[in-house]
Amino acid sequence: MTISVLILAEFDPVSVCALHRDAIRGYAAAHGLSRAIDIRLAVATAYTPEHRDADWVGSYATGTAKVVGGDPIMDFVTNHTDPAMVDFAESADIIQVCPAIGQPWASYPDTPPGSLNDTPHATYFNVQWDRILRGKKHKVAYFHGSRTTWAYRDAYARFFRDAGYVLATSTLDYATLMPAAYLPPPVSPRPEMAGRAPLRADDDPLIVSHTPSDPSNCSTAEFLAMCSRLGIVARYKTMRPFHEVMTAKRESHAYFDHLRGSYSVNTLEGMAVGCVPLVGLTPACRDFLATEGMGAFPGPEIVTASDLGRALAGLSASPEGTRAYQERAHRWVHEQYASDKIAQRLIKFYQGVLDR
Amino acid sequence: MTDTPCSTTRDSRPVVALLVPCGPSIPVPFSLSMDNLLQSMRPDKVKTHRYLNVGRHSVVDARITLTQAALDTPDLTHLMWLDADMVNFPGDSVLRLIEHDLDIVGGLCFNRRNPYMPVMARKQPAELGLGPDATGWMYDYPENSVVEVDRTGAAFLLIKRHVMQTMLDKYGADGVWAASSVESEDFGFCRRAQECGFKIHVDTGVYVGHMADVVVDGAYARRNRTHKWQPWMGNFDRAKQEGTPVASVVIPTYNQKPQYLKAAVWSALGQTVPVEVIVVDDGTSDYEILDAEGGYFDVDNGVRVNVVHVNVEKTAAKTVKLPPGARVLRQKNRGIAGALNTGIRAMATNWFAWLSSDDLFTPDKVEKQLQKLHQSDAKASYHMYDIIGPATGDTTFNSAPVLPRRWSSRLEQRQALLENCCINGSTVMLHRSVIDDMKLPDGGFFDGSYRWSQDYEAWLRVAQKYDWALTDEPLGTKRMDDNLTMSINTDPEKAKLWRREDARLHDQYALPRCETCGHWL
């Protein structure tokens, strides 16, 4: 049996979906399954050069892309007219959309969730897409966390479930609370995750990096104050280019993400280069990892700010303990978030969607 | 026939045109203040002409008309602008401005609305990345001083005739006072004056009241200001993009615990803005400090030394290799002052920051402290810090010590400093111009004849001429683990020597005291 999947995405989720597509293609090629799964990615609205790696890039195809300051910044796209893509969409077994980011209600957090009911399935696509989506039997709504979707997650979940979508997500919090199928990005092997933070030597100070996009949402002030009061070196960067952020992680022994109850891709990237993960994780998220067969989370148990303080103090006092955590985290993430493993998870998920 | 002395001696009195742009009516309080001013003007000192432009016109039009009228006045030397909503200006204020003999000099006025900005502004430094014309209000101006500024208002402003003539020739009458949606006519005038090479000053001792429901002057502004307007906070975008260092962090070190030294270096390198990190190895004998390339700069011989270890295993334990980005300068032991002076001489930026090799900076220390410095226009600054106890596993969080919030005068500043050296070295940032201005006869900034109080002496020296600005949040960590303070407290011999230094320092900088009550005079 062949599974054909079209992923419609825009902005941030594009990167994760492109990694999924490549993981599946790689896995399929390695296991002689290239005819068994056909997964393609269409981008409605993009803003980084890497989005060009999609199979169909909306406004590039239609020639309406604008280039601002060297980066392609696309206009709102309403005319996906590539005939090949439309044909694929009509015939695809599954269409996956990535709600929230870029959609009108997501841009305005004050908009009451009730307005969701008045909005078409995927407002960023034109009527033709709406028709195709409504007619599809197998549909997936894939959530890549953002503050706006988080605020209205119950309304989103209800809306898409009622419209016949299967819910999936890239993040642990949605996976446990929405709930939704956990389809994280693969971490290994990826060239940008290469290199490794040094194992902490006995005479090394503890260095902890922290690279939030939104410091007000990531307990940044508390973290920096704790480091100051514990004599720990904090490497703090916000809104800096990806390569700079990865360099900071490679120069650290630990990485602090936030205290919101689950971890973001930042934690995975930190572990990928050998940082101890410091992140507030709810017991539900820890249990979820175990039930998903991913084993125990390889970082200190942290839920609250005082847990974080204790974890920092403990690591600071123990270079040996830091090294042990570093090794464990590195091993775990490269096993559990390996490209092949994620590809298998995705294929199993899409087969499950078809079996519904 | 001979002329009388009176007719042959050229009249050297300045000729000043008092120029008053005004709306449809003249406010009575202004008339009274003007009357007071005119009565105080001594005819033997200055000759005045008065021009008043009353009507329903824009202030720009009024200024253009008055400028042309003034320049038609024979022998005119100065144009003195007085806006009709200015009051309570001291009678001698115009004479005082004239005596400064400056191209453009004004009195100190305040905006009428909270936060009652002093109407004088400074261009923001390029490293803030705010664009070439971005300016910030100068809230923390020195009292009773003539201050050079980049922008000021024309509400109480004295301009020499040749300045105005030069500008008229270049920009035309309309152009001199042109305003735009982003620039008022007086700020535009200042920008153009600078383009012509003229400097602008404000005498902060000439307080001028600004008429609103109440008269807003310096005292009113200080009393009622609820916040400071900070629209021009830079984000150092340009420096971050280009990687250009905005400050130099000097880390003197001598036989420091390697873990502490590395922590200090990492905390300096990990700043949110690019900085230059200079480690001055003051003859460390316990181990060898190397930079990331495996060498150091030998200060005494002026050569780069690349260290090649033949037996790596044996020497590894005796080597501390610092991360990329830190320069290592090595010299024979000269004490902290000598090491700091070496670091200062090697600085490539204009801002000096000292970091003791057992202390830490928070990641945003340099960015936050520099922003505050730029905003207040101060050139010397310190901040609060956290203290951590001995490394015994005790992780009690300590609060930062409370420092004086603000010193209202240099005298008070000096008194406060004499009573307690509340400025910790690792919190200090100084502009290169202060260091150059206040350096010692031997060319160094820190006095090597002091073994332990070289910092205290330097802060007192700076306090004689500059204001110390406090950044009121903890931006660093000080370890009380076997450091100098601890060793002085526990070693009687050191304590004795330290007291001797302290007495010497007080002799050097003490202010006279009242014999009766003991207070500083």
Side-chain angles (χ1 to χ4, degrees):
Chain A
M1 188 181 89
T2 300
I3 306 174
S4 54
V5 182
L6 175 66
I7 301 174
L8 303 173
E10 59 176 355
F11 292 122
D12 289 352
V14 172
S15 309
V16 182
C17 293
L19 289 169
H20 282 172
R21 180 201 57 184
D22 295 345
I24 287 178
R25 285 179 180 173
Y27 179 82
H31 293 82
L33 302 170
S34 49
R35 288 192 178 175
I37 185 145
D38 186 1
I39 179 167
R40 303 185 194 183
L41 177 62
V43 175
T45 308
Y47 63 164
T48 68
E50 70 194 42
H51 294 163
R52 295 184 202 193
D53 295 338
D55 304 283
W56 291 286
V57 183
S59 47
Y60 277 112
T62 56
T64 59
K66 279 197 290 188
V67 176
V68 179
D71 290 331
I73 307 288
M74 291 190 184
D75 271 334
F76 197 69
V77 178
T78 54
N79 53 342
H80 280 50
T81 54
D82 187 310
M85 183 168 59
V86 175
D87 286 349
F88 186 76
E90 296 276 11
S91 64
D93 298 313
I94 299 168
I95 292 190
Q96 174 175 314
V97 297
C98 302
I101 296 173
Q103 291 195 356
W105 64 78
S107 304
Y108 302 97
D110 294 335
T111 309
S115 65
L116 285 170
N117 296 324
D118 306 324
T119 314
H121 276 62
T123 54
Y124 52 92
F125 297 114
N126 65 8
V127 175
Q128 181 183 26
W129 285 101
D130 196 42
R131 176 185 61 75
I132 294 171
L133 281 165
R134 283 180 191 278
K136 275 288 166 210
K137 187 178 172 195
H138 303 299
K139 291 172 285 199
V140 174
Y142 183 72
F143 289 85
H144 183 66
S146 77
R147 288 182 81 170
T148 44
T149 42
W150 183 250
Y152 298 133
R153 65 184 183 281
D154 292 341
Y156 273 96
R158 201 167 44 244
F159 174 82
F160 282 100
R161 265 198 216 106
D162 290 350
Y165 287 75
V166 175
L167 307 186
T169 181
S170 62
T171 59
L172 265 186
D173 45 9
Y174 282 95
T176 53
L177 288 175
M178 196 166 243
Y182 183 46
L183 305 175
V187 167
S188 175
R190 280 168 54 192
E192 61 272 32
M193 303 294 156
R196 186 143 182 209
L199 289 173
R200 185 180 170 200
D202 287 340
D203 65 352
D204 275 347
L206 178 65
I207 303 172
V208 187
S209 50
H210 177 54
T211 57
S213 299
D214 180 0
S216 68
N217 198 29
C218 294
S219 305
T220 299
E222 292 96 319
F223 164 72
L224 292 178
M226 280 179 201
C227 287
S228 177
R229 290 167 184 178
L230 288 168
I232 290 169
V233 179
R235 300 222 63 194
Y236 167 59
K237 286 182 182 292
T238 182
M239 299 305 284
R240 302 301 302 153
F242 181 70
H243 68 88
E244 229 178 86
V245 167
M246 285 308 295
T247 301
K249 288 172 182 165
R250 280 189 200 96
E251 292 176 347
S252 307
H253 305 116
Y255 180 84
F256 170 61
D257 199 340
H258 52 65
L259 296 173
R260 296 204 303 268
S262 79
Y263 49 76
S264 73
V265 177
N266 262 321
T267 289
L268 299 178
E269 290 166 355
M271 285 193 282
V273 295
C275 291
V276 182
L278 297 172
V279 57
L281 213 53
T282 60
C285 283
R286 285 179 183 275
D287 292 348
F288 179 86
L289 291 173
T291 54
E292 289 284 301
M294 299 174 79
F297 182 70
E301 282 197 25
I302 298 169
V303 178
T304 63
S306 35
D307 296 337
L308 174 64
R310 270 193 292 277
L312 285 167
L315 285 180
S316 177
S318 172
E320 195 183 345
T322 311
R323 287 196 293 273
Y325 268 125
Q326 284 185 279
E327 295 277 29
R328 211 182 305 159
H330 186 258
R331 203 168 43 242
W332 185 79
V333 83
H334 284 284
E335 282 172 12
Q336 300 304 328
Y337 290 82
S339 187
D340 276 5
K341 199 153 187 170
I342 299 298
Q344 288 176 52
R345 182 178 271 269
L346 284 159
I347 293 169
K348 194 175 164 192
F349 168 75
Y350 289 128
Q351 277 170 342
V353 172
L354 286 179
D355 291 344
R356 281 178 86 227
Chain B
M1 192 177 87
T2 56
D3 289 332
T4 62
C6 185
S7 61
T8 54
T9 306
R10 187 181 161 79
D11 187 353
S12 60
R13 286 178 302 166
V15 180
V16 182
L18 302 175
L19 307 168
V20 185
C22 188
S25 61
I26 302 170
V28 172
F30 172 75
S31 306
L32 295 173
S33 297
M34 193 68 180
D35 187 50
N36 178 44
L37 179 88
L38 291 172
Q39 284 190 28
S40 307
M41 297 282 259
R42 291 170 50 185
D44 60 320
K45 291 268 188 185
V46 62
K47 193 173 167 186
T48 57
H49 297 270
R50 298 120 202 214
Y51 297 93
L52 187 64
N53 193 350
V54 184
R56 294 190 182 278
H57 43 223
S58 70
V59 70
V60 173
D61 288 342
R63 290 202 195 283
I64 292 169
T65 308
L66 288 167
T67 302
Q68 286 168 337
L71 292 178
D72 288 342
T73 308
D75 299 328
L76 185 87
T77 56
H78 295 81
L79 296 85
M80 177 71 211
W81 294 93
L82 298 105
D83 282 2
D85 53 357
M86 295 290 121
V87 288
N88 296 354
F89 25 89
D92 66 346
S93 48
V94 174
L95 273 179
R96 178 168 163 160
L97 295 183
I98 291 171
E99 280 167 5
H100 290 318
D101 193 23
L102 294 164
D103 286 332
I104 303 169
V105 58
L108 179 54
C109 319
F110 292 80
N111 189 283
R112 283 185 289 203
R113 278 184 289 276
N114 199 1
Y116 310 107
M117 295 86 81
V119 187
M120 51 184 189
R122 262 276 164 83
K123 270 190 197 167
Q124 297 300 288
E127 65 259 28
L128 286 177
L130 294 169
D133 290 326
T135 54
W137 301 110
M138 296 168 61
Y139 285 100
D140 296 319
Y141 55 86
E143 305 274 351
N144 212 13
S145 307
V146 178
V147 185
E148 188 180 342
V149 302
D150 289 309
R151 305 284 184 269
T152 187
F156 200 86
L157 189 68
L158 185 76
I159 304 167
K160 280 189 176 174
R161 179 190 182 122
H162 76 95
V163 174
M164 190 55 86
Q165 194 62 59
T166 305
M167 291 177 68
L168 273 181
D169 293 344
K170 183 166 181 183
Y171 300 105
D174 291 355
V176 169
W177 293 108
S180 71
S181 59
V182 294
E183 191 177 57
S184 59
E185 95 287 355
D186 41 12
F187 271 37
F189 168 83
C190 290
R191 182 173 52 77
R192 286 181 279 272
Q194 284 189 323
E195 285 169 7
C196 292
F198 299 114
K199 289 184 175 175
I200 302 153
H201 293 82
V202 170
D203 184 341
T204 60
V206 176
Y207 270 118
V208 183
H210 199 170
M211 210 166 29
D213 295 338
V214 292
V215 173
V216 177
D217 58 12
Y220 183 88
R222 266 200 303 275
R223 222 172 29 245
N224 294 286
R225 180 179 294 136
T226 57
H227 61 283
K228 285 181 180 180
W229 192 22
Q230 303 180 347
W232 287 292
M233 282 294 250
N235 50 18
F236 295 95
D237 270 353
R238 191 181 304 170
K240 283 178 188 173
Q241 274 167 18
E242 295 170 0
T244 319
V246 295
S248 302
V249 180
V250 176
I251 307 176
T253 185
Y254 174 72
N255 283 343
Q256 185 56 263
K257 288 180 184 172
Q259 184 174 349
Y260 290 175
L261 171 63
K262 284 198 259 185
V265 172
W266 273 112
S267 80
L269 287 169
Q271 291 297 301
T272 51
V273 288
V275 297
E276 172 192 40
V277 177
I278 303 167
V279 176
V280 185
D281 175 6
D282 196 31
T284 291
S285 53
D286 291 356
Y287 51 86
E288 193 170 43
I289 301 172
L290 303 178
D291 59 27
E293 283 77 46
Y296 56 84
F297 184 81
D298 183 337
V299 175
D300 301 312
N301 297 305
V303 291
R304 161 86 191 174
V305 176
N306 291 310
V307 178
V308 180
H309 291 299
V310 179
N311 190 336
V312 176
E313 277 187 12
K314 259 189 173 179
T315 53
K318 292 182 178 176
T319 300
V320 170
K321 201 166 183 180
L322 298 180
R327 288 165 65 193
V328 177
L329 311 181
R330 186 168 176 178
Q331 64 181 23
K332 285 181 187 145
N333 184 262
R334 291 175 202 157
I336 299 174
L340 286 167
N341 287 337
T342 297
I344 287 170
R345 275 192 287 274
M347 271 170 44
T349 76
N350 282 329
W351 287 102
F352 161 74
W354 168 7
L355 175 60
S356 292
S357 57
D358 55 347
D359 290 347
L360 293 173
F361 285 166
T362 59
D364 50 2
K365 126 105 185 182
V366 171
E367 183 166 9
K368 280 190 171 169
Q369 198 171 6
L370 265 186
Q371 280 181 332
K372 291 273 182 183
L373 276 161
H374 289 323
Q375 204 176 27
S376 67
D377 202 38
K379 291 182 173 175
S381 153
Y382 67 105
H383 56 74
M384 298 171 80
Y385 53 94
D386 286 314
I387 295 174
I388 52 175
T392 56
D394 172 18
T395 57
T396 307
F397 294 169
N398 292 277
S399 58
V402 176
L403 305 178
R405 290 284 184 269
R406 183 183 161 82
W407 293 311
S408 63
S409 68
R410 295 249 164 82
L411 186 68
E412 197 185 327
Q413 167 177 277
R414 201 163 141 192
Q415 283 172 357
L417 262 180
L418 273 168
E419 282 166 16
N420 174 27
C421 182
C422 54
I423 300 175
N424 178 263
S426 290
T427 72
V428 163
M429 281 190 83
L430 285 170
H431 195 265
R432 181 187 287 278
S433 61
V434 177
I435 293 171
D436 289 345
D437 188 24
M438 303 304 289
K439 66 188 173 192
L440 298 162
D442 68 0
F445 178 69
F446 289 97
D447 188 343
S449 68
Y450 283 94
R451 189 170 167 192
W452 292 308
S453 303
Q454 75 290 326
D455 52 348
Y456 197 177
E457 190 280 332
W459 313 154
L460 279 163
R461 192 161 13 105
V462 168
Q464 290 177 311
K465 206 168 165 185
Y466 296 90
D467 294 325
W468 280 98
L470 169 65
T471 302
D472 198 3
E473 63 179 302
L475 297 177
T477 305
K478 181 179 173 62
R479 291 183 207 269
M480 295 297 281
D481 176 14
D482 196 22
N483 70 357
L484 179 62
T485 314
M486 295 275 281
S487 69
I488 288 171
N489 288 342
T490 51
D491 183 337
E493 200 52 39
K494 278 186 182 172
K496 195 171 149 190
L497 284 169
W498 183 81
R499 278 196 297 274
R500 201 177 295 160
E501 278 202 354
D502 199 50
R504 180 185 153 204
L505 192 138
H506 278 78
D507 282 349
Q508 199 172 343
Y509 289 100
L511 294 156
R513 283 174 185 269
C514 169
E515 288 181 5
T516 314
C517 67
H519 281 133
W520 305 107
L521 291 174

